[in-house]
Amino acid sequence: MVKPKRVGLIGAGAIGTVLAEAIQRELVTCDELVIYDTDLQRAQNLKNKLQFPVKIVDSIDTLITQKPKVVIEAASQQAITEYFDKLLAANLDIIVMSTGALLNIGTGSPKVHFPPGAIGGLDALSSAALAGINEITLTTRKPPKALGKDNTEETVIYEGYAKEAAQRFPKEMNVAATLALTVKPAKVKVQVISDPKVKRNTHDINIKWCYGEMHLQFANDPHPDNPHTSALAAWSAIKLLKTLLET
């Protein structure tokens, strides 16, 4: 008997909605979606939009009993920190969107996965990291609204390193955390700019490594329902989910 392919979803917000809609469009093969959100009404609202089997649960423990093949965290750093040990103990594959939490938890288990999010080129960066990265910098430029600001002139609101950037901006700077996880032990220097002249979230990554240089730039539209994140972040999770379900 073939086991049903269930997917667990933690968080029924903007990213969770894009994931669920991709399943509905059959871009991802899934027999049932199991949703947990601390806001049960938000979970119910998402279920009401969908026309395929969806189950809402009221706890992580109940979600685990449904034995999903993959669980996607699309909620917050706090959520993955709180539920991580239980999910890992249940031997579930976990896709982590709030990668800032992994800077403290770690990624040692082969069951822990994180998508590229709003950037790409991680294969090249991880290869360079094996050889040795001399310097890596990330300059992120976003509209003020995406950073919870209302400045009318270009303003540098943070300069430092990736771990602190992800802590200070837990919703907006998962890119910094993803880079840091990819290029360890190199430290990622980060500059965050609130710029009223831009309409897209832009990430400029510059790398100097022992055999050359790399320059990567990404300019992504903010998600229409959540300006703190880029639409590409959700689609990168969909691609990773599709891969895991097909293995």
Side-chain angles (χ1 to χ4, degrees), residues 103 125-136 161-162 179-189:
L103 294 174
L125 294 179
S126 59
S127 299
L130 285 175
I133 290 176
N134 301 322
E135 181 180 307
I136 175 167
Y161 288 93
L179 276 178
L181 292 166
T182 301
V183 303
K184 290 173 65 174
K187 289 191 173 182
V188 181
K189 295 180 180 178

Side-chain angles (χ1 to χ4, degrees), residues 87-109:
L87 294 170
L88 211 56
N91 199 35
L92 300 174
D93 279 293
I94 311 164
I95 295 176
V96 178
M97 300 300 295
S98 303
T99 50
L102 294 179
L103 294 174
N104 295 316
I105 298 172
T107 57
S109 170

